[in-house]
Amino acid sequence: MYIRCCAIRTLILWAGATLGVGGCSSNTAPGTQAGQLQTAQSGRAAQGGTAEVGTAQGDAARPAGAAQAAQSSQQYRLTATIPDLMDGMIDPAADVLWDSVAYIATPKGVEDRQPRTDEEWKTVRNSAITLIEAANLLSMPGRRVDAVHAPADATPTTRAAPTTPTTRATQLVRTASDVTTAPTAPANAINDAPPPLGELSHAEIQQRIDATHDAFTQFARNLQDAGLKALAAITAKDAQGLMDAGGIIDEACEACHVTYWYPNQKRPGT
C-alpha cells in the first residue's frame, strides 16, 4: 500500500515537473499549447520592440528633417531689383497713403479728403500692408540695385532714363524737364544710361549698400515701422493719425535716398 501510494505520488510529481519544465523552457516545441503561447508572447514582444525602435528612429530623424526644411525655406529666388520694388510696390503704395488724407484749398473752399467708407479704408489698408511687406523684400540679402542677367533673346528697346526715387519732397521739386529719354541700348546694357543729375550710378549705389548692409536694412525697418503706424491708424479709422504716419513714411524714404542714391545732391532747403 505504501509502495503504491509512493508510486502514484512519484508519477504526479514527475508529470508536474515535466509540465513546469516544458512551460519555462526556451526549447519548447512549437506544436504544443505551451509552445504556441510562448511563440505568441514572443511575437508580441518582438513587434512591440520593433515599434519602439521605429518610433525612436522617427523621433531622431524629425529634427533633421525640420532643420532641412528650415534651410530650404531660406533659399529664395530673387528676381526683382531694388528699383523694381520701389517702382512697382513701395512708391505706388506710399502714394495711395499720402493721397488718401489731405486738406486741399479750392475756389469753393477747403476740401477735407479722407477715407470714409469701408471700401475706402480697405483700399488704404491694402496699400499699407503692401508697403510693410515690401520693406522685407527690399532688405533681403542678395537683393541688388541692378539686374545681374538680362534675357538673351530680348530685343533692343527704348527706355526712359532711371528716375530718382519718388518721395513727397521730390514730387514738389520735380518738373517735366527731369524726364528724359535714353538712346536705344542692347538688352544686356539696359542700365547703362547715365543716372539723373546728382544721383549715383547703380554700381556706386550697390557698393554703398554692400559696405553698409546692416544700415540699409535698418532704413528698410524704419520704413516698415512707419507703415505699421499707418496700419494702426487705418485700423482705428483715424484720418489724422494716417496723415501723421504719411509724414513719417516720407521721412523714412528720404533718409535712405539721401544716404544711398543722392548723397552729394544739393536739394532745396539744404
Side-chain angles (χ1 to χ4, degrees), residues 104-188:
I104 305 172
T106 68
K108 297 181 180 181
V110 177
E111 176 189 352
D112 180 11
R113 178 189 297 173
Q114 60 177 284
R116 288 183 169 85
T117 67
D118 290 342
E119 191 64 27
E120 289 172 342
W121 282 111
K122 181 179 179 181
T123 298
V124 292
R125 185 181 188 278
N126 290 341
S127 293
I129 293 290
T130 299
L131 180 71
I132 292 166
E133 291 299 335
N136 288 326
L137 299 177
L138 196 65
S139 60
M140 290 176 67
R143 183 79 65 192
R144 299 188 61 81
V145 178
D146 226 344
V148 178
H149 300 291
D153 57 349
T155 56
T157 58
T158 301
R159 287 175 55 94
T163 57
T164 302
T166 302
T167 63
R168 182 64 82 190
T170 57
Q171 286 177 339
L172 296 176
V173 300
R174 179 171 292 169
T175 63
S177 61
D178 292 327
V179 181
T180 59
T181 301
T184 301
N188 60 355

Side-chain angles (χ1 to χ4, degrees), residues 6-252:
C6 290
I8 293 173
R9 183 181 299 173
T10 301
L11 290 175
I12 294 173
L13 291 176
W14 178 256
T18 302
L19 289 174
V21 172
C24 298
S25 173
S26 60
N27 296 323
T28 303
T32 64
Q33 182 176 2
Q36 292 174 352
L37 178 61
Q38 181 181 2
T39 302
Q41 292 175 342
S42 300
R44 284 195 296 270
Q47 290 176 355
T50 303
E52 291 175 0
V53 171
T55 303
Q57 290 176 345
D59 292 340
R62 192 172 294 114
Q68 184 176 2
Q71 182 178 3
S72 299
S73 67
Q74 295 176 1
Q75 298 175 353
Y76 304 103
R77 298 178 64 181
L78 305 184
T79 303
T81 63
I82 291 175
D84 287 337
L85 295 177
M86 288 182 173
D87 294 340
M89 297 180 69
I90 296 174
D91 284 352
D95 285 340
V96 171
L97 298 177
W98 285 328
D99 295 340
S100 65
V101 182
Y103 295 102
I104 305 172
T106 68
K108 297 181 180 181
V110 177
E111 176 189 352
D112 180 11
R113 178 189 297 173
Q114 60 177 284
R116 288 183 169 85
T117 67
D118 290 342
E119 191 64 27
E120 289 172 342
W121 282 111
K122 181 179 179 181
T123 298
V124 292
R125 185 181 188 278
N126 290 341
S127 293
I129 293 290
T130 299
L131 180 71
I132 292 166
E133 291 299 335
N136 288 326
L137 299 177
L138 196 65
S139 60
M140 290 176 67
R143 183 79 65 192
R144 299 188 61 81
V145 178
D146 226 344
V148 178
H149 300 291
D153 57 349
T155 56
T157 58
T158 301
R159 287 175 55 94
T163 57
T164 302
T166 302
T167 63
R168 182 64 82 190
T170 57
Q171 286 177 339
L172 296 176
V173 300
R174 179 171 292 169
T175 63
S177 61
D178 292 327
V179 181
T180 59
T181 301
T184 301
N188 60 355
I190 59 176
N191 293 308
D192 287 348
L197 183 63
E199 184 176 324
L200 300 180
S201 68
H202 282 181
E204 291 171 319
I205 297 170
Q206 185 66 59
Q207 185 178 15
R208 294 173 76 90
I209 292 176
D210 290 342
T212 59
H213 194 270
D214 287 345
F216 180 75
T217 299
Q218 186 57 54
F219 279 118
R221 292 292 174 267
N222 294 342
L223 174 62
Q224 192 174 57
D225 290 341
L228 288 169
K229 291 181 182 297
L231 183 61
I234 293 167
T235 301
K237 294 187 177 180
D238 179 4
Q240 184 59 50
L242 179 56
M243 176 177 283
D244 295 341
I248 300 173
I249 291 172
D250 183 62
E251 292 173 0

